Amino acid sequence: MAGNVGIIFEWLIFLGLGFASVLASVLLVTRKNPIHSALFLVMTFLCVAGLYILLYSQFIAIIQVLVYAGAIVMLIVFVVMLLDLENELRSTLKIVYSKVIGSLLALLFLLAILYSAVAKSPTGKMGSDTPERVTSNVKAVGEVLFTQYLFPFEILSVLLVAAIIGAVILSKKRT
Amino acid sequence: MWVVPTIPPALYLMLSGVLFTIGVIGALTRRNAIVVFMCIELMLNAVNLTFITLSHFLRSMDGVIFAFFVMAVAAAEAAVGLAIFVLIYRSRETINVDEINLLKW
């Protein structure tokens, strides 16, 4: 009985977060003001972070809140503040046939995704993670990241340095 | 006794597909470059959700690592992309993607 109650709560949290994230992303696409879009983006990210916790990966949930909802959206809001977007607010949405066709193709793609998600349960080689390892998720992630994936991790640091240098050079004043 | 089934992975995958499609439609229809950028972040996020779902249901840690890499690439992309937006705005006074067509063939 106690297990049932836990699973019912899991369903409630999943449905709530799922509908909230879909609603927030629809609002993100439809709002005219970019600041409102950025705030709905934060809401979507937080809902997805809750789903990550429901999937027992606390590490990615924390990184999601820190990096996505914190750093990236802060950058976006900062750039929106720097730019003057009054013209965008005044302009009305024009219906262009290419965009309608693209949206219809995207909906077709969604049907394909839904069908493939329902038709077959995910197959593949099961990994070695037992439920006990899941409870110490950060430790398990660190063990895999710093042994098996050490080289890609170092490459990632090179990528970040390149991005920092690129951003600095791009925003430097031309002399 | 009636036992409630646990959440199947298909529901998570469907949710991430819906989020991805909303991102695609937004990136295709919006004209403000910053909103297009936000839609791309939404798509990356949906893909991350797929990675984490399959990593959980296949009991493997690799999906988590890949989601971590995707996040790092998204952060790098945000830094460079937003710098480019500021530059474009400085030179052309607009970030409407329909009017930035110098590279269009």
Side-chain angles (χ1 to χ4, degrees), chain A residues 61-110:
Chain A
I62 292 168
I63 294 291
Q64 168 97 357
V65 173
L66 284 180
V67 173
Y68 264 120
I72 292 182
V73 177
M74 191 277 292
L75 264 181
I76 290 175
V77 171
F78 198 76
V79 170
V80 171
M81 185 195 79
L82 283 180
L83 308 181
D84 177 31
L85 299 175
E86 286 297 315
N87 296 330
E88 163 76 11
L89 289 181
R90 274 200 298 273
S91 69
T92 55
L93 192 66
K94 274 187 300 187
I95 302 290
V96 184
Y97 283 115
S98 62
K99 289 174 178 174
V100 174
I101 292 170
S103 306
L104 289 179
L105 282 180
L107 285 178
L108 209 64
F109 179 65
L110 172 67

Side-chain angles (χ1 to χ4, degrees), chain A residues 88-152:
Chain A
E88 163 76 11
L89 289 181
R90 274 200 298 273
S91 69
T92 55
L93 192 66
K94 274 187 300 187
I95 302 290
V96 184
Y97 283 115
S98 62
K99 289 174 178 174
V100 174
I101 292 170
S103 306
L104 289 179
L105 282 180
L107 285 178
L108 209 64
F109 179 65
L110 172 67
L111 285 183
I113 290 178
L114 294 184
Y115 174 73
S116 58
V118 175
K120 260 181 104 176
S121 60
T123 56
K125 197 155 70 71
M126 292 291 250
S128 55
D129 274 2
T130 54
E132 304 91 66
R133 279 191 72 190
V134 167
T135 55
S136 59
N137 177 260
V138 178
K139 189 176 168 225
V141 171
E143 275 173 5
V144 179
L145 190 60
F146 292 123
T147 54
Q148 196 181 344
Y149 288 93
L150 182 62
F151 188 62

Side-chain angles (χ1 to χ4, degrees), chain A residues 150-168:
Chain A
L150 182 62
F151 188 62
F153 182 70
E154 298 292 340
I155 296 290
L156 203 60
S157 66
V158 176
L159 173 74
L160 286 173
V161 171
I164 292 170
I165 293 173
V168 168

Side-chain angles (χ1 to χ4, degrees), chain B residues 15-38:
Chain B
L15 175 65
S16 97
V18 169
L19 286 180
F20 188 88
T21 311
I22 292 171
V24 170
I25 291 174
L28 285 177
T29 53
R30 292 304 299 264
R31 295 183 303 158
N32 188 336
I34 292 183
V35 180
V36 171
F37 182 79
M38 284 189 233

